[in-house]
Amino acid sequence: MAVATVARSRWTRQRLLRLYTVATGGAAVVVMALTAGHVVETATRYPSMWLMTVLAVLAGGLAFIESPAPGRPQMIVCPTICFTFAILLCWGLGPAIAAQALAVALVRWKLHAPMVDGVKAWGQYTLAFVAAAAVLWLGQPDPFERDGPTNIVTDALTVVGAVAAWLVAYAVLEYGHSVLRGLPARSRGLTHALGNQLLFKASLLLLSPVLAVAAHINVGFLPLIFVPLLAVQRMARLSAERDRAARLDPLTGLANRTGLRAGFRDLLAASRQVSPDGARGPATPSLLMLDLDRFKHVNDTLGHDVGDRLLIAVAQRISAVQPPEAIVARLGGDEFAILLVTDTPEEAERVADTVVHALAEPVRLDRLQIDVTASLGIASYSDGEDFPTLLRHADVAMYEAKQRGDAVATYLARADQNSPERLKLLTDFRDALTARRPEQIAMHYQPQVSLATGETHSVEALLRWCHPVHGPVPTRDLLSVAEHSSVMQQITMRVIDDVTAQLAAWRSDGLAIRASLNVSVRDLYSDALATHLARRLDERDVPPDRIQVEITESALLADPSRVQATVNRIAALGVAVSLDDFGTGYSSLQHLRRLPISEIKIDRSFVSGMADNRDDAAIVRSIVEMARTLGIRTVAEGVENEYTRQLLAEAGCTLIQGWIAAHPMPGPEVVQWLSAAPSYKG
């Protein structure tokens, strides 16, 4: 239904455009016919009119098209009206519109414009001249008659009024035509372009009285006007090029970020326009963000010149498969965006699939064939959103597609890890971390119990944050926004400080227990982790075997050589290393062979499914058996019921961790809990 409505709307608009052209062109022909006799009579009486007409036609040779930037309608810059309006002042309406017709014909031929555009332009000019002629007739039938009475004030006011009437009539006609073409009625691009046209035409029209006076005094002065006109034309061209450059990408010729922003405003205004039947259309702007995969490899291997040619080829392919009203932009580097109006989310997905298909064919550059793949993110406009928000949502979806290995992903608010609220949460946490507020940030410890003896050999240190307004914040939510920022390293250093201090306090109480702490990928890329850990162990006189560092398999996959160097430094301190979330990675056996691993923690996704899933139980038993063979202890995470505990005991698992044993608790409560439960003291 929506597609049919859009098609019907376009068909109606095309009919109205044809009717507009016929109406304005027909009106011009009628006026020309009515004034034909006056044209012939004037041509025989005033030879100077021929010179003015020739100059008007020659001025058409200075015309040029202001290349339309995104969000702006096309504008033809032509200085002929300063001559044709002077003809109106001197010799009347008929000669003026006749000269204008000749000039429009030349301009149409020079710019290769369609005939219908020429007819439309001549019709608009003719009707504007009719409005100006009416004012001249009311003010004084012939203000430039040599032998008639002269009144300086009346003549000046009449001419200014005629200029104003011409501009008003032309503005109304051009505005109506632009709206019929589909440009939003409240578009900034439309009003800006129309304002520029009127300013340029007003300056030409106000030059006409000078030409009219010169024609009555000495026609030899008239050709001199071409010198300032050439300067004005040059300035107008430079201004148009500067405005175009501000909105277009110089490499591909597509819109840039500024042009895309202007296009968003116009598409949004168009989608909000009321249809003739009083109903608003369902169409809303959608933004597709596209990022080329492995483009850096092309630049590094083949050079930036080849990379630029590849970007141009990609831009051409994307533009070729888009709807006519869509705006394609290059945002920088290898990032492109497509802004279009869609009726349903599925329509945006179809456009995205079309782009993916268009890029599937290798790009041929000289004798090279370069495979191009891309990740696309789709975001649809919601009421109240601004352009930066829509752009960010599309960017988030694009990176979601890249992380999942998919070609296309649609933005989902629940999957957005970078919402302003979450970033504000990170700022609040950074402030609390810097101020060292113990009432907000604290370490809790969850016991790990031996399945063989029931004793507690170790604990895992877990970060807890109680926001002063929102209350307890899930650690997973906090780490998801902190792991890609410098706050992650601050968290790790704070955890090392608090855990080593707690181990020292327990040791002074005669409690010998091992504490495990988690570190991130960013920590393993730096020497600061091992250095800081060694310093704190020495300062607090904590034996290295009382602390253990947990790393994840995903961290090992990122950059194995750098991670292995840091892990080896930690092990050289005498600190044990545990491999967390075991079984969720892709190269676990290789890690066990190369790294000094003392413990593996079986991921809770397998442990929790043991009671109901034979495959999970088999996986856990296999991991335990392999670890036993390698002399590595095993810890099962997420043990919450007795049946699972029994299965783990039968499999020979070393330690269990979960609610069946104990919930995480503050450090001082661990001592109280151990006094009432089987404990290990040394």
Side-chain angles (χ1 to χ4, degrees), residues 358-376:
L359 297 179
E361 184 71 19
V363 176
R364 294 178 179 271
L365 298 176
D366 298 330
R367 297 181 180 179
L368 296 174
Q369 283 192 1
I370 302 177
D371 291 317
V372 180
T373 58
S375 301
L376 282 86

Side-chain angles (χ1 to χ4, degrees), residues 445-451 458-462 464 476 479 516-519 548-553 578-585 599-611 616 620-621 623-624 633-641 643-649 653-662 664:
Y445 300 87
Q446 187 170 33
Q448 297 173 336
V449 178
S450 170
L451 280 170
S458 56
V459 294
E460 180 182 4
L462 302 169
R464 295 292 183 264
R476 183 180 297 272
L479 296 181
S516 298
L517 58 89
N518 295 275
V519 297
Q548 181 172 262
V549 171
E550 295 187 7
I551 61 176
T552 61
E553 284 194 275
S578 173
L579 189 56
D580 197 7
D581 298 336
F582 188 83
T584 60
E599 174 186 280
I600 57 177
K601 300 186 73 173
I602 307 172
D603 189 70
R604 66 177 63 244
S605 62
F606 299 115
V607 175
S608 61
M610 287 184 68
D616 286 345
V620 172
R621 286 195 298 268
I623 293 174
V624 171
R633 64 176 172 267
T634 51
V635 180
E637 295 183 289
V639 183
E640 299 179 359
N641 57 72
Y643 183 51
T644 301
R645 189 199 68 78
Q646 291 177 4
L647 292 175
L648 290 167
C653 184
T654 312
L655 304 171
I656 61 170
Q657 178 182 342
W659 292 353
I660 191 174

Side-chain angles (χ1 to χ4, degrees), residues 242-377:
R242 189 181 302 112
D243 183 69
R244 180 175 182 270
R247 290 170 172 260
L248 294 183
D249 172 56
L251 177 64
T252 62
L254 301 177
N256 58 14
R257 192 179 297 266
T258 302
L260 190 67
R261 184 190 299 270
F264 169 76
R265 289 195 297 259
D266 292 342
L267 286 182
L268 184 60
S271 67
R272 289 174 172 173
Q273 283 189 343
V274 180
S275 60
D277 59 1
R280 292 186 182 274
T284 57
S286 291
L287 183 65
L288 280 64
M289 180 83 75
L290 180 150
D291 181 82
L292 299 183
D293 299 327
R294 299 177 300 279
F295 176 74
K296 184 177 184 297
H297 296 168
V298 176
N299 274 340
D300 293 343
T301 305
L302 303 177
H304 289 274
D305 289 342
V306 175
D308 288 347
R309 292 171 61 192
L310 177 61
L311 291 175
I312 294 172
V314 169
Q316 292 172 346
R317 288 193 181 185
I318 296 174
S319 300
V321 297
Q322 297 311 307
E325 66 275 9
I327 297 176
V328 182
R330 177 179 175 235
L331 303 181
D334 60 337
E335 281 193 350
F336 295 84
I338 305 165
L339 182 67
L340 68 162
V341 172
T342 56
D343 300 305
T344 62
E346 290 75 17
E347 186 176 344
E349 294 175 3
R350 285 195 296 270
V351 173
D353 292 338
T354 303
V355 173
V356 172
H357 180 73
L359 297 179
E361 184 71 19
V363 176
R364 294 178 179 271
L365 298 176
D366 298 330
R367 297 181 180 179
L368 296 174
Q369 283 192 1
I370 302 177
D371 291 317
V372 180
T373 58
S375 301
L376 282 86

Side-chain angles (χ1 to χ4, degrees), residues 73 88 255 368 418 420 472 485 616:
L88 172 69
L368 296 174
N418 301 297
S485 70
D616 286 345

